[in-house]
């Protein structure tokens, strides 16, 4: 066994930082201390959809990434060294070795979808797992040759940094940390969602993101992945860990049974879209002309931050992705993994602070403003992630993706109609305000949707932090809410599971509806003159851009002169 040297922490910043205020340094130091002092992290098991046609490229990708290959049969697990694929013979070959200590676990990986690990003792993020339906036949020198037909499934382990941080928030240390962030960085977000995983609750995402008034309520579909039921059901925890009042109106699980080699997502309308052959872009061009393809290729927290140094009249940033398009295809599905930035959360707090002591009056008045009025303002300020396709007449808007929150990446799908596109190339543009979004993965699938089976499951039981039964409050979207006004309020919700057939798997979505209000106590006189400016289009984006360079003590006027 060889030990691998620990790598020094590296921070990449696109613009040289000058002197930073002590308050900001304190926030970053707290994050750094948290990052290096907590050894336990989490990973999720992610299936890798594959076909005979794509297997060769996948093996090359695994080898290029120096993945640690593990072979699983019904009774044994081995490390496969020097993996090679032979397309003529349709075989996978290599040298069998015993597993190293860094890849030996006490509990079977197949037991659940989310696992806790100690990064000082194990290295699950370097692994790729091949599951076989037959035993391995070794030669004298431990060389093995495996028919591709014997490979039942392939999966990798995917890290979720925000999940680790959000899980820490449920601990005693975490409560102190969350309160610190609330005070220091005016943190605001949506209710946190956790799912019970053995003795622990694992963070999976946020409910009804961006819905800050009752008039804005809409159905949200949070992907929970492929979950392993416990005691014939699933247990979720909805927690308020922030300075806000949260109103949850409706919760329902949507269980989708589908083939194992298919991925499933729900679009913004609640329609199911399936993925069987996701293609990577051939080119990714930022608005500054720089071609940067790597962040789009895999889910690895290397993301597009929409913070290029190009100054524009509107302050928006964009990226254009190009895909090879089959000649006669009229439909496609865009697959994105994305989230909102913590910077958007911070800058929205800076914006609200300008209301001073008038803020709570303003907030109260906003509760009765029509949803369209608020949505129109949000769109005019480029807060959504806008998706365009290039047609014969120019760029055509397909969808504006509403905010999903800053704490966890979310898998998203946007259906595309291609009847107005000429040629064999599909160009997709993502556009948003300065540093409002982070996009970690981009792909397109031209395959037709597969047949799936849907089940809808209402909560069987829901108890709040006082043990009070609140199941009836979550059963229907009727405007009767579970209200969580205090930090530490939580609701534990149970759902019954349902079986799926042989050769299938099950994807789970949490349909949810509700809204939340910030609790703030800003001081001072409202800055009316500055606030009136935000009625104009793009002003919030420009405010974000300017505030960022002030934040890092950068001379914005000097920067703009170098356009």
């Amino acid at each position: 066994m060889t030990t691998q040297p620990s790598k020094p922490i590296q921070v990449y910043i696109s613009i040289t930082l000058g002197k930073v205020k002590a308050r900001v340094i304190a926030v970053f130091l707290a994050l750094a201390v948290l990052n290096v002092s907590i050894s336990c992290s989490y990973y999720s098991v992610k299936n890798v959809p594959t076909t005979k046609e794509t297997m060769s490229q996948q093996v090359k990708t695994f080898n290029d990434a120096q993945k640690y290959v593990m072979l699983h049969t019904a009774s044994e697990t081995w490390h496969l060294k020097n993996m090679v694929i032979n397309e003529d013979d349709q075989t996978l070959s290599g040298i069998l070795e015993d597993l190293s200590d860094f890849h030996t676990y006490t509990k079977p990986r197949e037991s659940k979808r989310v696992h806790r690990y100690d990064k000082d003792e194990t290295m699950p993020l370097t692994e790729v797992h091949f599951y076989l339906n037959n035993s391995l036949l070794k030669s004298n020198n431990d060389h093995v040759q495996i028919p591709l037909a014997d490979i039942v499934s392939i999966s990798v382990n995917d890290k979720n940094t925000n999940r680790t941080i959000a899980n820490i928030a449920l601990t005693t240390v975490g409560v102190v940390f969350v309160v610190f962030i609330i005070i220091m960085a005016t943190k605001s977000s949506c209710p946190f969602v956790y799912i019970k995983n053995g003795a622990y609750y694992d963070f999976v995402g946020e409910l009804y993101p961006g819905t800050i008034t009752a008039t804005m309520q809409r159905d949200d579909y949070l992907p929970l992945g492929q979950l392993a039921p416990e005691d014939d059901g699933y247990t979720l925890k909805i927690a308020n860990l922030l300075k806000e009042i949260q109103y949850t109106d409706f919760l329902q699980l949507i269980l989708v049974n589908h083939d194992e080699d298919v991925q499933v997502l729900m679009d913004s309308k609640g329609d199911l879209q399936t993925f069987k052959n996701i293609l990577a872009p051939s080119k990714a061009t930022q608005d500054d002309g720089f071609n940067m393809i790597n962040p789009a290729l895999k889910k690895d927290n290397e993301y597009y931050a929409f913070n290029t140094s190009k100054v524009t009249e509107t302050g928006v940033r964009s990226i254009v992705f190009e895909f090879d398009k089959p000649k006669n295809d009229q439909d496609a599905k865009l697959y994105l993994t994305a989230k909102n930035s913590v910077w958007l959360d911070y800058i929205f707090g800076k914006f609200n602070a300008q209301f001073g002591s008038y803020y709570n009056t303003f907030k109260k008045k906003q509760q009765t403003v029509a949803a369209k009025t608020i949505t129109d303002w949000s769109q005019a300020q480029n807060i959504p992630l806008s998706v365009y396709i290039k047609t014969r007449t120019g760029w055509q808007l397909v969808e504006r993706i509403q905010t999903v929150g800053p704490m966890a990446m979310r898998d998203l799908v946007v259906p595309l109609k291609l009847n107005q596109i000429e040629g064999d190339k599909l160009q997709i543009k993502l556009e948003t305000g300065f540093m409002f979004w982070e996009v970690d993965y981009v792909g397109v699938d031209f395959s037709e949707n597969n047949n799936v089976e849907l089940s809808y499951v209402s909560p069987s039981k829901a108890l709040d932090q006082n043990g009070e039964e609140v199941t009836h409050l979550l059963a229907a979207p009727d405007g009767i809410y579970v209200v969580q006004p205090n930090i530490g309020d939580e609701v534990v919700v149970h759902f019954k599971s349902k079986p799926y057939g042989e050769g299938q798997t099950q994807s789970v979505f949490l349909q949810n509806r509700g809204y939340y209000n910030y609790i703030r106590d800003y001081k001072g006189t409202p800055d009316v003159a500055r606030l009136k400016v935000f009625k104009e289009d793009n002003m919030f984006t420009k405010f974000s851009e300017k505030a960022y360079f002030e934040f890092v003590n950068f001379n914005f006027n000097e920067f703009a002169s170098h356009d």
Side-chain angles (χ1 to χ4, degrees):
M1 181 186 72
T2 58
T3 57
Q4 298 196 11
S6 58
K7 296 181 179 179
I9 298 174
Q10 294 180 319
V11 180
Y12 297 92
I13 303 177
S14 59
I15 298 172
T16 303
L17 301 183
K19 180 180 178 183
V20 182
K21 293 181 180 179
R23 185 176 70 87
V24 176
I25 292 176
V27 173
F28 285 128
L29 284 177
L31 289 168
V33 169
L34 180 75
N35 183 54
V36 299
S37 63
I38 304 297
S39 61
C40 284
S41 299
Y42 291 80
Y43 71 86
S44 300
V45 176
K46 300 289 187 181
N47 287 333
V48 180
T50 189
T51 65
K52 290 182 179 179
E53 292 75 19
T54 61
M55 179 73 76
S56 179
Q57 180 58 44
Q58 286 168 339
V59 168
K60 181 180 184 302
T61 300
F62 295 146
N63 285 337
D64 289 346
Q66 298 182 337
K67 288 287 187 181
Y68 187 89
V69 182
M70 298 173 66
L71 301 179
H72 300 263
T73 67
S75 59
E76 297 177 305
T77 302
W78 297 87
H79 167 45
L80 182 66
K81 185 179 179 181
N82 300 331
M83 178 173 61
V84 176
I85 189 169
N86 188 319
E87 294 188 70
D88 294 333
D89 295 340
Q90 288 292 287
T91 59
L92 194 70
S93 62
I95 306 297
L96 287 185
E97 292 184 345
D98 291 334
L99 298 178
S100 77
D101 291 346
F102 281 115
H103 303 281
T104 302
Y105 306 93
T106 56
K107 293 182 180 180
R109 178 176 180 268
E110 301 77 22
S111 62
K112 51 190 178 181
R113 302 298 297 182
V114 179
H115 300 259
R116 175 181 290 207
Y117 73 98
D118 189 326
K119 57 189 178 184
D120 295 328
E121 296 181 3
T122 58
M123 302 172 63
L125 302 184
T126 65
E127 298 168 0
V128 57
H129 296 255
F130 288 75
Y131 289 85
L132 312 178
N133 59 11
N134 286 315
S135 300
L136 293 169
L137 299 176
K138 296 184 290 181
S139 62
N140 292 333
N141 60 357
D142 287 332
H143 184 271
V144 68
Q145 197 169 43
I146 306 162
L148 297 186
D150 285 356
I151 300 174
V152 177
S153 65
I154 304 173
S155 58
V156 295
N157 299 326
D158 178 49
K159 183 178 181 180
N160 191 321
T161 304
N162 287 309
R163 169 175 292 188
T164 301
I165 293 173
N167 274 301
I168 293 167
L170 288 182
T171 68
T172 303
V173 174
V175 170
V176 176
F177 172 72
V178 169
V179 171
F180 177 82
I181 291 299
I182 290 168
I183 294 171
M184 297 299 290
T186 60
K187 178 75 190 77
S188 57
S189 189
C190 331
F192 287 4
V193 185
Y194 301 80
I195 189 155
K196 194 171 187 295
N197 181 11
Y200 306 101
Y201 279 92
D202 293 328
F203 178 71
V204 290
E206 302 173 68
L207 294 186
Y208 40 86
T211 309
I212 56 175
T213 71
T215 60
M216 295 176 65
Q217 290 180 97
R218 54 183 167 81
D219 287 330
D220 177 59
Y221 304 92
L222 175 64
L224 301 182
Q226 297 170 358
L227 305 177
E230 295 186 3
D231 299 324
D232 298 322
Y234 307 106
T235 301
L236 275 65
K237 180 179 288 186
I238 313 301
N240 181 3
L241 299 175
L242 305 168
K243 291 177 65 175
E244 56 193 37
I245 304 174
Q246 300 169 351
Y247 302 84
T248 303
D249 186 20
F250 176 59
L251 295 178
Q252 176 178 253
L253 285 190
I254 302 175
L255 310 181
V256 185
N257 296 351
H258 55 89
D259 293 341
E260 290 181 340
D261 62 347
V262 169
Q263 293 187 61
V264 175
L265 289 176
M266 301 195 80
D267 63 27
S268 60
K269 297 178 181 178
D271 295 328
L272 280 166
Q273 308 292 337
T274 66
F275 296 83
K276 193 163 185 177
N277 185 27
I278 302 175
L279 303 179
S282 57
K283 185 188 298 185
T285 308
Q286 297 187 135
D287 46 34
D288 59 0
F290 186 67
N291 186 17
M292 192 167 68
I293 191 72
N294 285 340
L297 299 181
K298 56 184 178 180
K299 302 177 185 181
D300 56 2
N301 286 317
E302 181 186 355
Y303 50 79
Y304 298 100
F306 297 91
N307 63 347
T308 57
S309 58
K310 180 180 177 63
V311 176
T312 64
E313 183 178 347
T314 61
V316 301
R317 298 296 191 271
S318 64
I319 307 166
V320 175
F321 299 91
E322 185 170 281
F323 297 84
D324 295 327
K325 183 182 80 69
K327 185 175 181 181
N328 297 317
D329 281 32
Q330 297 298 303
D331 297 282
K333 291 152 287 190
L334 173 64
Y335 189 118
L336 296 173
T337 301
K339 72 178 186 69
N340 293 110
S341 65
V342 174
W343 174 258
L344 174 61
D345 185 87
Y346 170 80
I347 203 65
F348 203 73
K350 293 276 285 184
F351 165 71
N352 286 334
Q354 295 176 102
F355 285 91
S357 59
Y358 182 73
Y359 174 76
N360 287 320
T361 302
F362 166 77
K363 181 183 69 175
K364 185 176 181 179
K365 290 182 177 180
Q366 286 292 103
Q367 301 307 305
T368 58
V369 174
K372 185 178 185 304
T373 300
I374 299 174
T375 301
D376 287 349
W377 181 85
S378 175
Q379 292 176 359
Q381 306 307 322
N382 299 286
I383 294 173
L385 181 63
S386 297
V387 179
Y388 297 83
I389 58 174
K390 188 70 171 290
T391 70
R392 61 172 66 99
T393 58
W395 289 108
Q396 174 184 313
L397 177 66
V398 178
E399 184 173 327
R400 290 187 175 98
I401 301 174
Q402 301 304 312
T403 54
V404 299
M407 288 302 295
M409 288 286 179
R410 185 185 286 206
D411 293 333
L412 304 163
V413 56
V414 179
L416 305 173
K417 292 292 184 183
L418 310 180
N419 54 305
Q420 297 297 314
I421 296 176
E422 296 178 338
D424 59 357
K425 300 294 182 184
L426 168 62
Q427 288 186 303
I428 298 173
K429 179 168 68 172
L430 302 181
E431 185 176 83
T432 189
F434 183 84
M435 283 184 68
F436 291 170
W437 285 78
E438 297 167 355
V439 174
D440 188 35
Y441 176 79
V442 183
V444 165
D445 193 325
F446 295 95
S447 65
E448 295 182 0
N449 278 331
N450 291 61
N451 293 326
V452 298
E453 302 169 9
L454 276 76
S455 300
Y456 298 89
V457 182
S458 298
S460 58
K461 189 176 184 179
L463 300 176
D464 69 11
Q465 70 277 357
N466 299 316
E468 183 177 343
E469 178 98 24
V470 294
T471 314
H472 62 289
L473 301 178
L474 301 172
D478 53 9
I480 304 175
Y481 302 94
V482 169
V483 182
Q484 295 175 293
N486 303 307
I487 294 176
D489 287 350
E490 61 184 37
V491 178
V492 176
V493 189
H494 303 274
F495 297 87
K496 296 292 185 182
S497 61
K498 293 193 175 184
Y500 51 90
E502 185 177 352
Q504 288 188 319
T505 189
Q506 188 177 82
S507 295
V508 183
F509 299 85
L510 179 60
Q511 184 177 0
N512 61 91
R513 192 177 180 90
Y515 71 102
Y516 58 97
N517 288 160
Y518 302 136
I519 299 175
R520 297 292 184 268
D521 187 24
Y522 297 120
K523 305 296 184 181
T525 304
D527 192 338
V528 177
R530 289 193 68 183
L531 287 169
K532 284 183 177 180
V533 172
F534 288 96
K535 294 182 178 181
E536 301 176 16
D537 291 356
N538 304 309
M539 290 310 299
F540 186 71
T541 293
K542 293 178 180 179
F543 176 66
S544 171
E545 185 180 58
K546 186 173 186 294
Y548 175 74
F549 297 113
E550 291 176 350
F551 182 87
V552 298
N553 198 29
F554 192 91
N555 188 316
F556 185 78
N557 292 327
E558 179 182 345
F559 169 77
S561 69
H562 290 107
D563 182 20

